[in-house]
Amino acid sequence: MSRIGKLPITIPAGVTVTVKDDVVTVKGKNGEMSQKLTGGIQLGIEDGKIEFTRPNDEKQTKALHGLYRSLINNMIIGCSEGFKKELQLVGVGYRASNNGNVLELALGYSHAIYMVLPKEVKLTTKSERNQNPLITLESCDKALLGLICTKIRSFRKPEPYKGKGVLYVGEVVRRKSGKSAGAK
């Protein structure tokens, strides 16, 4: 049995979970999300807990068992609490600003980079003197949030020599030493 798949999920107060035609819908204060179940995975709701069962022990079915449990759990956490990621821009002249859900980045290129974010994502930017600019993203969809953060990081990946780039808050870049002079 899948270790992750057999763990029950507790439904917090303020969140409703409904199942109709193998589509699970989760509603909460932060939004509404739905996920279709495939592979014969069954979902049972009893006493405020969700349990998943699978029809057989094939490798693919075992994988789907744990996958759907994790996806539904992330949906419940997202609809009740939400997810938050923070990025910082490390580098001289790097700036970030937003106009609604349009993110404007100045990352040392000859042009500014504009990125329109989906309406499910809440964007805030903060620039203070003598501190790195900070981008804060909040959403109920964990996968979408991770995808957007990865896209923003791809504009200027952290580099190991100077430590410049777009980093997650708290991320440590492993630094390399440069060329050593006069190594004869």
Side-chain angles (χ1 to χ4, degrees), residues 81-125:
E81 302 166 21
F83 294 101
K84 178 179 177 181
K85 294 220 180 205
E86 292 181 325
L87 300 167
Q88 63 182 351
L89 308 179
V90 179
V92 177
Y94 288 7
R95 293 186 317 276
S97 62
N98 68 312
N99 184 7
N101 259 17
V102 178
L103 176 65
E104 179 185 355
L105 298 169
L107 297 173
Y109 296 114
S110 61
H111 59 283
I113 299 170
Y114 295 94
M115 184 174 178
V116 179
L117 301 179
K119 65 181 185 328
E120 294 90 12
V121 178
K122 183 181 170 211
L123 167 70
T124 55
T125 56

Side-chain angles (χ1 to χ4, degrees), residues 167-179:
L167 286 77
Y168 290 106
V169 170
E171 180 183 4
V172 177
V173 177
R174 210 163 147 219
R175 302 288 296 270
K176 291 182 178 180
S177 62
K179 292 181 181 178

Side-chain angles (χ1 to χ4, degrees), residues 38-134:
T38 60
I41 304 296
Q42 296 296 316
L43 181 137
I45 303 172
E46 292 180 13
D47 301 329
K49 292 189 184 252
I50 300 174
E51 293 192 3
F52 294 86
T53 56
R54 62 175 187 246
N56 54 40
D57 286 339
E58 293 178 12
K59 190 172 184 178
Q60 182 67 25
T61 309
K62 285 182 181 180
L64 289 175
H65 189 208
L67 171 73
Y68 285 129
R69 192 264 178 208
S70 294
L71 289 176
I72 302 298
N73 189 42
N74 286 341
M75 287 168 50
I76 290 173
I77 292 170
C79 288
S80 63
E81 302 166 21
F83 294 101
K84 178 179 177 181
K85 294 220 180 205
E86 292 181 325
L87 300 167
Q88 63 182 351
L89 308 179
V90 179
V92 177
Y94 288 7
R95 293 186 317 276
S97 62
N98 68 312
N99 184 7
N101 259 17
V102 178
L103 176 65
E104 179 185 355
L105 298 169
L107 297 173
Y109 296 114
S110 61
H111 59 283
I113 299 170
Y114 295 94
M115 184 174 178
V116 179
L117 301 179
K119 65 181 185 328
E120 294 90 12
V121 178
K122 183 181 170 211
L123 167 70
T124 55
T125 56
K126 185 168 92 172
S127 297
E128 292 182 5
R129 190 177 171 103
N130 296 330
Q131 288 190 349
N132 295 325
L134 197 66

